[in-house]
Amino acid sequence: MKVEIISCLQDNYSYLITDETNNVACIVDPSEAEPVIDFVKKKNINLKYILNTHHHYDHIGGNIELKKKYNAIIVGYKNDAHRIPEIDILVEDNQVWKADNFEVKIFHIPGHTSGHICFYFFNENFLFSGDTLFSLGCGRIFEGTYQEMFESLNKIKKLPENTNIYCGHEYTLQNSKFCIKHDPNNESLKNKIFEIEKKIKDNKPTVPSILKDEINCNIFLKAKDLESFSKLRDLKDNF
Ligand code: ZN
Ligand code: FE
């Protein structure tokens, strides 16, 4: 299985996961159809599945067109069936969704929205975290509570350290400024910032990030309790 990164809109990432044995692919969070269609055409891939982490327009914008064009099957959280366009397969927390050679564990991780899920390709160590965990940051709390977001992040923290985190947006550089402000003596963070700046300068994505690095560097994953997490989240909203 390989993951390819497709830039969409301003700073969104959609991810194409292709099974190289049969060229069957899933797309995670197609913000818009066009860049995905271009990519699929070029590579001659059979796009069979659309996986949505949550209902925000910048994650589902390409659903209808891609479904029409490829007859793709749309997978999303059961309680969000009313707001994920053209949804076909309703999944729930802790379910393993299997199709073709894909085996994906679903985690319900509310906070950013009430129906946010992530897709964990446990055989490959890929996690598609949407707008819940970003590299060096976490999503804004729109529909959930601080406690829900805190618990959702803790769920992700328990995955294997070598998990590759593919998040919904390229926010890493901006996030790093907040982290270093509140954690100025963190040597691993300083090293990570060095790497990030290099990638941005070369016009390369900063994803995937490795979970171990996030645990060491992401101030929201380092928060010891709900109170300090909530304080940080408020500060970040006005950063
Ligand atoms: Zn969102
Ligand atoms: Fe988003």
Side-chain angles (χ1 to χ4, degrees):
M1 301 276 173
K2 79 171 171 204
V3 181
E4 286 164 296
I5 302 173
I6 303 177
S7 294
C8 293
L9 304 176
Q10 191 85 336
D11 50 31
N12 276 82
Y13 286 136
S14 298
Y15 298 105
L16 190 76
I17 306 117
T18 307
D19 177 354
E20 290 166 291
T21 63
N22 56 11
N23 254 357
V24 172
C26 309
I27 185 84
V28 174
D29 285 352
S31 317
E32 46 181 347
E34 209 184 287
V36 179
I37 292 171
D38 288 347
F39 201 94
V40 166
K41 216 186 280 169
K42 231 175 17 206
K43 305 256 169 157
N44 213 357
I45 282 161
N46 177 8
L47 180 59
K48 259 177 108 167
Y49 306 100
I50 296 171
L51 314 181
N52 292 133
T53 61
H54 64 298
H55 75 285
H56 283 159
Y57 80 97
D58 61 316
H59 298 257
I60 50 104
N63 274 22
I64 293 172
E65 203 177 329
L66 292 174
K67 180 170 177 170
K68 209 159 77 187
K69 189 163 175 79
Y70 300 108
N71 231 337
I73 295 162
I74 299 177
V75 182
Y77 187 55
K78 64 172 202 299
N79 293 3
D80 271 350
H82 61 292
R83 52 185 188 177
I84 292 182
E86 302 274 338
I87 191 167
D88 298 293
I89 293 181
L90 313 186
V91 291
E92 57 190 330
D93 192 25
N94 287 318
Q95 176 185 344
V96 176
W97 171 72
K98 290 187 193 186
D100 288 286
N101 295 323
F102 302 113
E103 284 191 297
V104 186
K105 178 123 192 199
I106 310 295
F107 294 110
H108 179 221
I109 46 169
H112 179 67
T113 66
S114 58
H116 200 299
I117 55 174
C118 58
F119 296 93
Y120 179 42
F121 286 64
F122 48 91
N123 296 318
E124 292 83 14
N125 278 320
F126 304 150
L127 181 79
F128 298 91
S129 61
D131 287 358
T132 298
L133 176 62
F134 293 123
S135 183
L136 301 183
C138 74
R140 277 176 192 264
I141 296 166
F142 284 127
E143 294 179 349
T145 61
Y146 293 96
Q147 178 150 13
E148 280 176 328
M149 184 56 113
F150 186 60
E151 283 168 11
S152 294
L153 293 173
N154 279 332
K155 241 190 229 183
I156 295 175
K157 242 164 106 174
K158 291 195 191 106
L159 297 175
E161 279 196 326
N162 61 346
T163 303
N164 291 282
I165 310 290
Y166 292 91
C167 56
H169 292 263
E170 181 59 81
Y171 289 158
T172 316
L173 185 62
Q174 184 61 14
N175 288 343
S176 76
K177 293 175 183 161
F178 182 78
C179 286
I180 196 76
K181 183 176 176 195
H182 294 279
D183 195 7
N185 301 317
N186 184 337
E187 287 307 315
S188 1
L189 175 60
K190 286 181 192 167
N191 289 334
K192 189 163 172 73
I193 291 176
F194 182 77
E195 297 297 320
I196 290 163
E197 287 177 337
K198 213 162 59 187
K199 283 180 182 155
I200 297 286
K201 208 175 128 238
D202 294 341
N203 239 327
K204 284 190 185 138
T206 62
V207 291
S209 180
I210 307 299
L211 183 57
K212 183 172 185 232
D213 288 347
E214 292 301 321
I215 288 170
N216 291 328
C217 303
N218 185 328
I219 192 111
F220 294 99
L221 292 187
K222 293 184 78 186
K224 298 236 153 25
D225 50 38
L226 177 60
E227 201 193 325
S228 44
F229 171 76
S230 307
K231 212 193 252 165
L232 284 165
R233 193 50 265 178
D234 283 344
L235 286 168
K236 182 77 198 291
D237 283 342
N238 301 301
F239 180 63

